[in-house]
Amino acid sequence: AAGVDLAFLLLFLALGSPVLAWLNVLSVALYGAAYWLLRQRRNNAALVLIWVEVLGHAAIGTVMIGWQSGFHYYLLMFIPAIVVSGRVRLMLLLLAVLLAFYLGLHAVALATVPLTPLGGGALAVVHTFNVAVVFTMAAFTARFYYLTVRRAERKLAELAATDSLTGLANRRSLLALAGPAMATAAERGAPVAMILADIDHFKAINDRHGHEVGDRVITQAAAL
């Protein structure tokens, strides 16, 4: 987002709109502060700064250039982040606030004349830039959520298929592997063998040295 604002700085300088250009310096500073807060695990404060920047930037850009500039599109980027927050009441509240702000900004844009309107060609450039950025951010966000879900699925599958102490395949995993192996062997007329290993006198180890040592013995045997 800070990179987008730097691009806006250069774009508005090229279009001869220095006020809008230097506004992006403040935006970059806000994102820098938000990033620092996130690194400090102060997530709520960082999110407040991000909301302030996006709402403020969309409002100022719309009031100064007009609704056709497309700055209001950035407000829609909050929707997926709000929906996946997991807290229903907070989600509904934030969606209501976002919708009210969006409709209010639209009403203001219809009722007023842009303060620093751009020419038709320049306005088309800004609108196209905003659409391209929002498309890119939406695709990135969707991809991010997709990869996050896939990682969680793989982790759950791994937890379901392995023993938590040793990391070896558990009964569920072994049965899943055995079925196809036996079917393949039957088709080819090949023999099937299974090796079963046990730790001798393991109960004596637990009784004499305790279950913690017993777990270490199991772990070492599994590693071997």
Side-chain angles (χ1 to χ4, degrees):
V4 171
D5 286 326
L6 287 175
F8 267 128
L9 171 64
L10 300 176
L11 177 63
F12 283 120
L13 286 176
L15 295 176
S17 184
V19 175
L20 287 171
W22 295 113
L23 172 66
N24 290 281
V25 175
L26 175 60
S27 295
V28 172
L30 288 175
Y31 280 120
Y35 180 76
W36 180 84
L37 288 170
L38 287 172
R39 293 294 298 269
Q40 302 299 314
R41 297 295 187 268
R42 297 170 61 184
N43 295 354
N44 290 335
L47 288 174
V48 169
L49 277 185
I50 292 172
W51 271 78
V52 167
E53 197 287 325
V54 176
L55 295 181
H57 208 149
I60 294 172
T62 300
V63 169
M64 297 189 72
I65 306 177
W67 188 258
Q68 295 301 319
S69 63
F71 277 101
H72 54 91
Y73 296 140
Y74 291 99
L75 300 177
L76 304 180
M77 292 303 303
F78 278 124
I79 294 175
I82 292 173
V83 170
V84 301
S85 63
R87 299 168 62 183
V88 177
R89 289 185 179 180
L90 180 62
M91 177 191 73
L92 294 176
L93 174 62
L94 292 177
L95 286 176
V97 170
L98 185 63
L99 178 61
F101 188 89
Y102 192 93
L103 294 177
L105 185 60
H106 185 235
V108 170
L110 291 177
T112 59
V113 177
L115 299 179
T116 57
L118 296 175
L123 184 61
V125 169
V126 173
H127 183 266
T128 301
F129 182 84
N130 283 332
V131 170
V133 170
V134 170
F135 263 70
T136 303
M137 293 177 70
F140 175 84
T141 303
R143 183 66 178 171
F144 174 80
Y145 287 138
Y146 170 76
L147 293 177
T148 300
V149 170
R150 291 292 295 165
R151 281 195 297 268
E153 288 177 344
R154 286 194 295 268
K155 184 64 176 177
L156 288 173
E158 180 183 337
L159 291 174
T162 57
D163 173 62
S164 59
L165 177 62
T166 62
L168 295 181
N170 61 12
R171 177 188 178 93
R172 178 199 300 266
S173 182
L174 290 174
L175 289 175
L177 292 171
M182 294 177 67
T184 301
E187 289 177 2
R188 299 177 179 177
V192 179
M194 182 176 71
I195 299 174
L196 186 64
D198 194 14
I199 301 174
D200 290 340
H201 313 297
F202 182 69
K203 185 177 184 302
I205 296 173
N206 272 336
D207 292 342
R208 182 177 300 176
H209 303 288
H211 289 281
E212 184 176 349
V213 173
D215 287 348
R216 290 169 56 189
V217 170
I218 292 176
T219 303
Q220 290 296 318
L224 292 173

